[in-house]
Amino acid sequence: MYRILMIAPTPFFADRGCHVRILGEVRALQTAGHRVTVCTYHHGRDVEGIDTVRIPRVPGYRKLSAGPSNAKYLADPLLLLRCLGEARRERPDVIHGHLHEGALIGRFVRAVTGAPLVFDYQGSLTDELEAHGYIDEGGVARRAFSALERWIDSGADAVVASSGRAAEALQRSLEPALVHTVLDGVDTSEFRPLGDAKRIAVRARYGVPPDAVLALYVGVLADYQGIDLLLEHLRPVLAERPALRVLLAGYPEEKYRRRAAELGLSEQVLLPGRVPFEDTRALTGSADIGVTPKLSASEGNLKIYNYLACGLPVVAFDNRVNREILGDLGVFVEHGDGDAFAGAIGQLADDPERRKQLGHLGRSRAESELSWQRAAGDLSGLYAELLGAT
């Protein structure tokens, strides 16, 4: 139907949330009949079936984890050149730029091709820089980046937000008609509960006893994801429940392994490091509880979709983003209350019937309302609207 040039200013694919959204959209758009080309950095992992073109190698740039990098000052101009070359060859109908750098590059590509630009907004650039310590709160650099961010936001033909809260925030600074909400999704044929034999086998690979109650986190390991907060409050809950295990799957993990050891939690808190996205399906399906202590209240929370599809009850902070995904099915605690969060994990560990009930309802919600096909339909409609107006 449409030729889509998708700009991904990141080392796609690298087994983390932003990349999972890109991959989910691409696969669903392909299923809907669209032709998608992903332009991305030189590193990352090729995914079978995804048409991926890469920039030349940037010496010394090997970082796969989330967050800013000085190497981007060279990688992004190279990505612009790669996108311009690909646009001349492919003559895309739509330019779909992820993250602020992708939207900025997309403006130049639009100037050459005339194709409409969709900006896939996955959170504030300024907030990300501040969270990773690149700029100070209230400083001159923050004001400068805020101005740049507003300029980038306003330059697209449409802005797609992954949560209603993010869309509302954008509408306060942009023409409301430019902003659209396209929630994340999940492939429920891949993310699903496991049978007993498979469940035991998967757990064995990660050192989880077959009869343990397994609480699982899958994602980037960072302070803004609430990992520090969670570790600091787990000790009493774990001490009362020797059969409870908390597995934090993600990277960079070394800091958290050291902290877990310092807190005396190493036996019950497992940190296997980066788990390939393909393996997270089985790992999630083998768990009993999904946890997401994410402190950001504006970004999407893609892991919740996977938890629900695998039939896991979900412990989360009570905010608009999490409620938008979970409805009334979440086990919600007050934002930032680490004691309450750890306590909620313990309460679910003690209540198998509640886990079963919430898991069944969550799986039904994922199947009926939260598929990537629904997201692809939303995007296809937006593309058609933009092309009809050009």
Side-chain angles (χ1 to χ4, degrees):
M1 294 175 64
Y2 299 133
R3 297 183 303 273
I4 302 160
L5 178 64
M6 194 164 282
I7 305 172
T10 185
F12 180 80
F13 182 80
D15 303 302
R16 51 186 172 90
C18 159
H19 296 217
V20 174
R21 178 173 171 91
I22 296 170
L23 179 62
E25 287 180 350
V26 172
R27 283 179 167 165
L29 287 167
Q30 288 175 327
T31 300
H34 303 296
R35 177 178 172 182
V36 185
T37 300
V38 178
C39 282
T40 187
Y41 290 170
H42 66 280
H43 55 323
R45 188 172 81 252
D46 287 342
V47 179
E48 184 178 357
I50 306 299
D51 182 14
T52 306
V53 295
R54 299 186 180 275
I55 64 173
R57 182 175 162 287
V58 176
Y61 186 21
R62 295 182 294 273
K63 181 184 178 188
L64 295 175
S65 58
S69 169
N70 291 332
K72 280 178 167 282
Y73 292 115
L74 178 56
D76 285 339
L78 290 173
L79 184 59
L80 169 60
L81 294 175
R82 192 71 174 93
C83 289
L84 288 171
E86 198 64 27
R88 291 190 184 98
R89 282 188 291 274
E90 294 293 326
R91 299 185 180 276
D93 299 302
V94 176
I95 304 157
H96 190 130
H98 283 268
L99 310 172
H100 283 84
E101 301 100 309
L104 179 58
I105 290 169
R107 292 181 73 158
F108 291 97
V109 180
R110 180 183 57 187
V112 172
T113 64
L117 170 62
V118 174
F119 171 26
D120 206 307
Y121 176 91
Q122 297 190 29
S124 167
L125 170 66
T126 309
D127 289 350
E128 179 186 4
L129 291 170
E130 185 179 308
H132 288 274
Y134 273 69
I135 59 175
D136 296 326
E137 182 179 359
V140 174
R142 194 186 205 288
R143 291 194 295 272
F145 274 103
S146 292
L148 174 62
E149 181 174 339
R150 288 192 297 272
W151 181 78
I152 294 173
D153 292 348
S154 65
D157 297 290
V159 182
V160 168
S162 61
S163 72
R165 176 163 181 168
E168 288 181 2
L170 286 165
Q171 286 171 338
R172 288 195 288 270
S173 59
L174 300 175
E175 181 66 33
L178 289 176
V179 182
H180 306 260
T181 303
V182 177
L183 298 178
D184 291 315
V186 61
D187 186 336
T188 55
S189 68
E190 294 186 343
F191 283 87
R192 61 186 185 276
L194 299 182
D196 289 342
K198 178 69 171 176
R199 174 186 172 94
I200 291 171
V202 171
R203 286 178 168 223
R205 294 207 303 266
Y206 293 93
V208 179
D211 57 347
V213 177
L214 177 58
L216 176 69
Y217 168 90
V218 179
V220 173
L221 301 184
D223 181 46
Y224 72 90
Q225 293 282 0
I227 305 303
D228 300 70
L229 181 72
L230 178 61
L231 284 179
E232 297 300 324
H233 292 86
L234 277 175
R235 180 194 288 274
V237 171
L238 294 175
E240 294 172 4
R241 299 168 178 85
L244 177 60
R245 297 292 185 274
V246 177
L247 193 152
L248 307 176
Y251 65 98
E253 72 279 5
E254 287 303 326
K255 163 188 170 182
Y256 295 105
R257 283 180 180 161
R258 290 193 299 270
R259 187 56 182 151
E262 291 168 359
L263 293 168
L265 305 177
S266 295
E267 184 176 338
Q268 289 177 268
V269 175
L270 309 176
L271 290 119
R274 184 172 68 185
V275 175
F277 176 65
E278 294 79 6
D279 294 345
T280 64
R281 295 171 289 200
L283 178 58
T284 307
S286 74
D288 299 294
I289 302 166
V291 300
T292 174
K294 189 171 189 175
L295 295 171
S296 170
S298 60
E299 294 181 354
N301 206 344
L302 181 57
K303 61 182 68 63
I304 294 178
Y305 295 81
N306 300 339
Y307 294 160
L308 291 175
C310 288
L312 306 186
V314 180
V315 181
F317 287 127
D318 193 353
N319 61 49
R320 166 77 178 276
V321 172
N322 292 339
R323 282 193 176 271
E324 188 171 32
I325 307 167
L326 288 163
D328 59 358
L329 300 181
V331 179
F332 294 110
V333 300
E334 184 178 351
H335 182 79
D337 189 335
D339 280 332
F341 195 98
I345 296 173
Q347 291 165 16
L348 276 177
D350 296 339
D351 195 341
E353 285 303 314
R354 189 183 184 205
R355 296 201 308 266
K356 181 178 179 181
Q357 179 186 34
L358 287 173
H360 175 74
L361 293 171
R363 171 70 184 179
S364 297
R365 179 172 173 82
E367 290 179 315
S368 62
E369 301 178 41
L370 302 176
S371 72
W372 276 121
Q373 285 66 39
R374 178 265 312 150
D378 293 342
L379 288 173
S380 296
L382 176 58
Y383 296 158
E385 179 183 334
L386 291 172
L387 291 167
T390 56

